[in-house]
Amino acid sequence: MGHLVVLKNKPYIRSFAAAVGKKEGEGPLGKCFDKVFSDSLMGQTSFEKAESYLQQTALELACYKGKTNVKDIDVLLAGDLLNQCIASSFATRQASIPFIGVYGACSTMALSLSLAAQLVDSGAAQTAAAVTSSHFCSAERQYRFPLDYGCQRPPTSQWTVTGSGAVILCTTKERAYIDKFLIGKIVDLGVTDANNMGAAMAPAAADTIHRYFKQSNTGPADYDAIFTGDLGQAGSELLYSLLGNQGIDIRAVHKDCGLMIFNRAAQDVHAGASGCGCSASVLAGHILPEMLKGKYNNILFCATGALLSPTSSMQGESIPGIAHIVNIKKEN
Amino acid sequence: MGHLVVLKNKPYIRSFAAAVGKKEGEGPLGKCFDKVFSDSLMGQTSFEKAESYLQQTALELACYKGKTNVKDIDVLLAGDLLNQCIASSFATRQASIPFIGVYGACSTMALSLSLAAQLVDSGAAQTAAAVTSSHFCSAERQYRFPLDYGCQRPPTSQWTVTGSGAVILCTTKERAYIDKFLIGKIVDLGVTDANNMGAAMAPAAADTIHRYFKQSNTGPADYDAIFTGDLGQAGSELLYSLLGNQGIDIRAVHKDCGLMIFNRAAQDVHAGASGCGCSASVLAGHILPEMLKGKYNNILFCATGALLSPTSSMQGESIPGIAHIVNIKKEN
């Protein structure tokens, strides 16, 4: 897997769904999401429980759309940003299905989707689900400051998406499938500003994209679109610069989920969006539906993660970044 | 994977190593470990960095023993107990190899080993490493109280192991291999006492062991030993009771890593040991070496995890448990 993994049996995408918060519902992709909650607590008693409920909702809607009983999912791969990944484990508690917890910060959707594809492709599972989430309110108070503090945010900061995306893979033929994936390496160029995640993750995205093109013997022109996870404005520009040094120009086909989900000018999100739920909800709410409509036939989904914690930042550590790529194709 | 995964190509165990702290070195297995550090900081400036260093040490020693260059590992699967799994990501940062972060609390070694075996078995990786760690000092201050506070610990509490275990799997023939694995479901019977992890995890262990026997059509007598992760004294007794209700008696072959690593009477660890590093260091330091010596030919390694966080406990939530089983066999 230093090498690209080319799947043999086309793990198919049976269904997918996205559940998001109010602000995401008011953004440019608002109409795409399967469920938009009107308040941050979603009927729960804490933001952490609300985040679990987001995951449950996304998975249940994906199951409903795929005419799949939750109990018939052979394995669920899930992750989130909360300490000890509690959004995922508490969301899965009732389902009583085999559970694999994964952690890749905001890259988690690409990681869980890769592993799910691998398990279905190899026959270890007939049906596998990949789910991730984030919640602005649970993330802010865990990573930064209590919301009530009203802290000023610098221009490079990104807004954590309140949302969850779920994708169900299966062995029976559907209209799209996972064709390849490449697991990322940790890249750390020494960025220490926890308010500039885009800069911390861009080098990892550049490394994985560069390796992917090299190993797959393809280039940007071979894809209808290349979606990065949540580099935001600052991170995207840095990615162009880093790839440019390698003679690669992805600008004609590049989109960043962190720049798609909000209207930056109107919604006050500074450099864009972020969070495990950002790329996951854009994938399940926008990218995959557009593929099925015929807009895209062959795309790269490259979610990026910043593997820091408040503890590592307080101890003066720089921010390790990671990015994984999943190649999704539409069936002919 | 609701079903047992029976591997086809014998993912072989090339090498393994364990690195532990002083207290673990003074325990009954002290002489088994590849490296025993004499102080808790291990030359680092924080307990968190010391935990990363434990992981690096275990992986480097496993590579050395397996005559493998770290750079030749196709993928590393690692996890720990720290917020955002920073022990693993910072340990892996220098290695520059593809990295999959997994989270299953103290069950993580069985989970990472299962996924590593799956990746090697399917040909997605030629060489995969599974590594996990825990550190008493980083865990205490994150989960419970600052060490300086000198908090009293109740009799059901367990002592987090300072240690790391690493196992390297490969496709070329060696003397032992992973034959099967079963991914666990989350089981939560409503235990809310964060000082009684054994009770919270035992129902999950019982569920996974029961399902494993049923699906593999085997029973306790078919195995030379069944190692649970870190149920401790309270959890082990509860496990016997729960399995007894299903007509299963594992007592003749059962050992709990949490009861093996310390001398409970002399080392003041109350109900036993715990932590991601407990089952990992016992596996790499004791179980696998004993297999190669011929003591065991066919064992079950069932690591157990409590999927709580301080936040979920403070919010009054009960503790979801999980357990995964790996069946390891000696080559004839």
Side-chain angles (χ1 to χ4, degrees):
Chain A
M1 294 230 297
H3 315 290
L4 182 69
V5 178
V6 182
L7 300 165
K8 301 172 193 88
N9 302 308
K10 293 189 179 180
Y12 283 103
I13 296 172
R14 175 178 290 166
S15 59
F16 41 81
V20 300
K22 183 165 178 261
K23 188 182 183 89
E24 291 71 20
E26 291 165 353
L29 303 181
K31 293 201 188 317
C32 309
F33 302 118
D34 299 273
K35 170 77 184 173
V36 177
F37 286 94
S38 59
D39 81 317
S40 297
L41 278 169
M42 301 156 195
Q44 307 299 309
T45 53
S46 73
F47 297 133
E48 289 75 17
K49 291 179 188 184
E51 188 176 337
S52 287
Y53 190 64
L54 267 177
Q55 276 204 22
Q56 279 181 283
T57 305
L59 181 62
E60 282 167 14
L61 288 170
C63 284
Y64 174 78
K65 289 165 75 180
K67 299 187 177 62
T68 301
N69 191 318
V70 175
K71 302 275 178 210
D72 293 332
I73 293 175
D74 285 331
V75 63
L76 173 69
L77 298 103
D80 59 89
L81 297 174
L82 296 182
N83 296 344
Q84 286 70 57
C85 306
I86 50 167
S88 304
S89 42
F90 283 91
T92 315
R93 186 167 54 167
Q94 265 96 35
S96 191
I97 51 177
F99 172 71
I100 293 174
V102 288
Y103 184 74
C106 303
S107 74
T108 306
M109 192 60 186
L111 181 58
S112 56
L113 203 56
S114 296
L115 291 172
Q118 168 62 33
L119 289 165
V120 169
D121 189 64
S122 67
Q126 298 296 307
T127 313
V131 188
T132 69
S133 66
S134 53
H135 191 305
F136 176 77
C137 302
S138 62
E140 279 299 303
R141 69 177 175 186
Q142 177 184 282
Y143 282 103
R144 295 173 193 95
F145 296 97
L147 290 177
D148 323 68
Y149 184 64
C151 190
Q152 286 276 343
R153 308 167 68 246
T156 52
S157 70
Q158 295 173 237
W159 186 280
T160 304
V161 162
T162 299
S164 173
V167 176
I168 299 176
L169 303 182
C170 65
T171 52
T172 51
K173 189 169 177 181
E174 301 284 347
R175 290 179 290 161
Y177 61 96
I178 313 288
D179 191 59
K180 306 180 195 75
F181 66 86
L182 183 67
I183 297 294
K185 299 177 181 184
I186 294 178
V187 179
D188 186 340
L189 296 190
V191 173
T192 53
D193 181 359
N195 281 309
N196 193 351
M197 298 291 193
M201 300 188 291
D207 178 73
T208 305
I209 291 171
H210 179 220
R211 286 198 299 130
Y212 181 90
F213 284 149
K214 201 170 163 189
Q215 294 187 24
S216 65
N217 202 19
T218 63
D222 294 306
Y223 301 95
D224 300 318
I226 297 171
F227 296 91
T228 47
D230 46 3
L231 294 175
Q233 190 62 40
S236 293
E237 284 165 16
L238 189 52
L239 175 65
Y240 300 151
S241 166
L242 290 167
L243 285 176
N245 295 344
Q246 308 283 347
I248 298 169
D249 184 353
I250 62 167
R251 284 175 294 179
V253 288
H254 176 248
K255 288 166 193 261
D256 184 68
C257 298
L259 292 172
M260 295 166 71
I261 195 166
F262 294 126
N263 180 330
R264 283 172 65 217
Q267 292 188 289
D268 190 29
V269 295
H270 297 265
S274 67
C276 282
C278 174
S279 59
S281 59
V282 172
L283 177 71
H286 171 75
I287 301 172
L288 293 176
E290 292 295 314
M291 282 194 91
L292 297 192
K293 281 182 206 159
K295 185 170 178 186
Y296 309 121
N297 289 307
N298 187 7
I299 65 137
L300 297 183
F301 175 68
C302 175
T304 51
L307 301 173
L308 82 169
S309 84
T311 304
S312 66
S313 290
M314 282 188 288
Q315 291 180 356
E317 275 289 4
S318 54
I319 305 172
I322 197 162
H324 311 287
I325 284 184
V326 184
N327 177 211
I328 308 176
K329 289 186 177 175
K330 189 157 175 284
E331 188 65 281
N332 292 324
Chain B
M1 295 230 298
H3 317 289
L4 182 69
V5 178
V6 182
L7 299 164
K8 301 172 192 88
N9 301 310
K10 294 190 179 179
Y12 284 101
I13 296 172
R14 175 176 292 168
S15 60
F16 40 81
V20 300
K22 183 167 177 256
K23 190 183 181 89
E24 292 68 22
E26 291 165 353
L29 303 181
K31 294 201 186 315
C32 309
F33 302 118
D34 300 274
K35 171 76 185 173
V36 177
F37 287 94
S38 59
D39 81 318
S40 298
L41 279 170
M42 299 154 196
Q44 306 300 309
T45 54
S46 73
F47 297 132
E48 290 73 19
K49 291 179 187 181
E51 189 177 337
S52 287
Y53 190 64
L54 268 176
Q55 276 203 24
Q56 280 181 284
T57 305
L59 181 62
E60 280 167 16
L61 288 171
C63 284
Y64 174 77
K65 288 165 75 180
K67 298 185 178 63
T68 301
N69 191 317
V70 176
K71 302 274 178 212
D72 293 332
I73 293 175
D74 285 332
V75 62
L76 173 69
L77 297 103
D80 60 88
L81 297 172
L82 296 183
N83 296 343
Q84 286 72 55
C85 305
I86 48 167
S88 304
S89 42
F90 283 90
T92 314
R93 186 168 51 169
Q94 265 96 35
S96 189
I97 51 177
F99 172 72
I100 293 176
V102 289
Y103 185 74
C106 304
S107 74
T108 306
M109 193 60 188
L111 181 57
S112 56
L113 203 54
S114 296
L115 291 172
Q118 167 64 32
L119 289 165
V120 170
D121 189 64
S122 67
Q126 298 296 307
T127 312
V131 188
T132 69
S133 66
S134 53
H135 191 303
F136 177 77
C137 302
S138 62
E140 279 300 302
R141 70 177 176 186
Q142 176 183 282
Y143 281 104
R144 297 176 191 93
F145 296 97
L147 289 177
D148 324 67
Y149 184 63
C151 190
Q152 286 276 340
R153 307 167 69 245
T156 53
S157 70
Q158 295 171 238
W159 187 279
T160 304
V161 162
T162 299
S164 173
V167 177
I168 298 176
L169 303 182
C170 64
T171 51
T172 50
K173 190 169 176 180
E174 299 286 347
R175 290 180 291 162
Y177 61 96
I178 314 287
D179 192 60
K180 307 182 194 74
F181 66 86
L182 183 66
I183 296 295
K185 299 176 181 182
I186 293 178
V187 179
D188 186 341
L189 296 189
V191 172
T192 53
D193 181 0
N195 281 308
N196 194 349
M197 298 290 193
M201 300 188 291
D207 178 74
T208 305
I209 292 171
H210 180 220
R211 287 198 298 131
Y212 180 90
F213 284 149
K214 203 171 163 187
Q215 293 187 26
S216 64
N217 201 21
T218 63
D222 293 306
Y223 300 94
D224 300 317
I226 298 172
F227 296 91
T228 48
D230 46 4
L231 294 174
Q233 190 61 40
S236 293
E237 285 165 15
L238 188 53
L239 175 65
Y240 299 151
S241 167
L242 290 166
L243 285 176
N245 295 343
Q246 308 282 347
I248 298 169
D249 184 353
I250 61 166
R251 284 175 293 181
V253 289
H254 176 248
K255 288 166 194 260
D256 183 67
C257 298
L259 292 172
M260 295 166 70
I261 196 166
F262 294 125
N263 179 332
R264 282 173 66 219
Q267 291 188 291
D268 190 29
V269 296
H270 297 270
S274 67
C276 282
C278 175
S279 60
S281 59
V282 174
L283 177 71
H286 171 75
I287 301 172
L288 293 176
E290 292 296 313
M291 282 194 90
L292 297 193
K293 282 182 206 158
K295 185 171 179 186
Y296 309 121
N297 289 306
N298 188 7
I299 64 138
L300 298 183
F301 175 68
C302 176
T304 52
L307 301 172
L308 82 169
S309 84
T311 304
S312 67
S313 291
M314 283 190 286
Q315 292 180 357
E317 275 289 3
S318 53
I319 304 171
I322 197 160
H324 311 287
I325 284 183
V326 183
N327 178 210
I328 308 176
K329 289 187 178 173
K330 188 157 175 283
E331 188 65 282
N332 291 323

